[in-house]
Amino acid sequence: MTTGLLIVQILNGLQLGILLFLVAAGLTLVFGVMDFINLAHGVQYMLGAYLAVTFVGITGSFVLGLVLALASALVIGLALEFLVFRHLYARDHLDQVLATFGLILLLNQGVKMLWGAAPLSVPVPAFLSGNVALLDGILYPTYRFALIGAGLAVGALLWFVVEKTRTGMLLRAGASNAPMVSALGVDINKLFMIVFAFGTMLAAFAGVMAAPILSVEPGMGDNILILAFVVIVVGGIGSIRGAFVGALIVGLVDTLGRSFMNDLLRLFMSAPSARAAGAALSSMLIYLVMAIVLFVRPEGLLPSKGRA
């Protein structure tokens, strides 16, 4: 293991963490404010990527395609909220899980009908197609730096909205005690639509930014949804700060574990045994982290104040 390789893998872990944060931030708000389990949240990530494929192809511009994809994803998300989700708010969690799981199957099949089952891709924008030289002459793609920077900028904007605006105050209050917010005269349906709008835009933005570096294919939101749930358990339900910290922890642990677990195990066992054990342990690391956090601090590392 060289210093250059370690830096590259840390950057890859930060990149994964940023994508997870963008998905998990909306998920934790929906879960924290509305007490609603939305298994279909990962579908917004997938739709963002597919809409990017379409609009970047039509316009020839990544920036314009990004704007159109986000606007379209927002309309689709609000339509789903109006047609499906709002009818589930008063139902128990089992009904929410079953309904949103069915929605996953429906939308995955819809994507196959519209775009086909073959993986698609979005070209890296020309102005971000270069590389940055790191230590030991290792090159790291400029676009991946841009992804990290864009995710941090969106995270800072989200922090400002949640912490410094009246809408953010209502969101934080709703995450702590939604019935009390409703009793004080706040239009809870409007608040729920705002929460869904936030969540939809964030997940779609993650999908658009991931499209140039990952395969765009049906079901691509399912795996990241599982990781996003791990993030909000580690960080704390309803907490944006917790989602950010949890996402970075999960991203770094997962990436570094998959990269260096074999080398670490070779210090204690033979190479064939290290490969076999390393493959198993590296895929379990984030769940071990989640189990440790649940044992030591069941409410998460940085839960919202009402849940601490």
Side-chain angles (χ1 to χ4, degrees), residues 148-280:
I148 294 172
L152 291 175
V154 170
L157 178 61
L158 181 61
W159 172 86
F160 177 81
V161 170
V162 171
E163 296 291 336
K164 302 297 182 181
T165 66
R166 183 177 184 276
T167 299
M169 178 190 69
L170 294 176
L171 292 178
R172 285 183 283 116
S176 299
N177 195 331
M180 181 61 70
V181 173
S182 181
L184 291 174
V186 175
D187 186 344
I188 202 70
N189 289 328
K190 182 178 179 181
L191 180 64
F192 285 178
M193 287 191 67
I194 292 173
V195 171
F196 252 97
F198 269 172
T200 296
M201 293 287 282
L202 290 170
F205 181 72
V208 174
M209 296 302 292
I213 58 175
L214 299 176
S215 294
V216 179
E217 55 190 354
M220 64 181 292
D222 299 347
N223 289 334
I224 201 166
L225 177 69
I226 295 172
L227 295 178
F229 271 112
V230 174
V231 165
I232 66 174
V233 169
V234 171
I237 295 172
S239 171
I240 295 297
R241 292 183 306 147
F244 182 75
V245 172
L248 293 185
I249 291 174
V250 170
L252 288 169
V253 168
D254 185 66
T255 302
L256 295 178
R258 293 179 187 278
S259 300
F260 301 119
M261 182 60 70
N262 289 351
D263 294 335
L264 181 62
L265 291 178
R266 284 197 189 102
L267 299 176
F268 309 100
M269 57 183 69
S270 63
S273 298
R275 282 195 299 271

Side-chain angles (χ1 to χ4, degrees), residues 2-49:
T2 64
T3 302
L5 179 60
L6 178 61
I7 292 175
V8 167
Q9 295 305 326
I10 289 175
L11 290 172
N12 287 338
L14 289 175
Q15 172 196 290
L16 175 59
I18 290 297
L19 290 176
L20 289 176
F21 167 67
L22 293 173
V23 177
L27 185 62
T28 196
L29 283 175
V30 170
F31 196 10
V33 174
M34 303 161 64
D35 195 28
F36 179 65
I37 301 177
N38 180 18
L39 294 186
H41 189 74
V43 171
Q44 300 293 343
Y45 169 82
M46 177 185 69
L47 288 176

Side-chain angles (χ1 to χ4, degrees), residues 36 38-41 43-44 46 80-81 84-85 88 96-110 196:
F36 179 65
N38 180 18
L39 294 186
H41 189 74
V43 171
Q44 300 293 343
M46 177 185 69
L80 289 174
E81 195 275 339
V84 180
F85 296 137
L88 299 170
Q96 295 169 0
V97 167
L98 292 175
T100 53
F101 180 72
L103 192 59
I104 291 175
L105 301 179
L106 176 65
L107 293 177
N108 280 339
Q109 289 302 315
F196 252 97

Side-chain angles (χ1 to χ4, degrees), residues 88-168:
L88 299 170
Y89 295 156
R91 307 291 289 269
D92 61 33
H93 287 163
L94 179 59
D95 290 340
Q96 295 169 0
V97 167
L98 292 175
T100 53
F101 180 72
L103 192 59
I104 291 175
L105 301 179
L106 176 65
L107 293 177
N108 280 339
Q109 289 302 315
V111 162
K112 289 181 182 179
M113 293 174 62
L114 290 174
W115 284 281
L120 303 175
S121 62
V122 173
V124 175
F127 62 93
L128 294 174
S129 61
N131 295 288
V132 176
L134 302 177
L135 297 178
D136 301 326
I138 296 177
L139 300 178
Y140 196 76
T142 303
Y143 180 80
R144 293 177 182 261
F145 275 116
L147 190 157
I148 294 172
L152 291 175
V154 170
L157 178 61
L158 181 61
W159 172 86
F160 177 81
V161 170
V162 171
E163 296 291 336
K164 302 297 182 181
T165 66
R166 183 177 184 276
T167 299

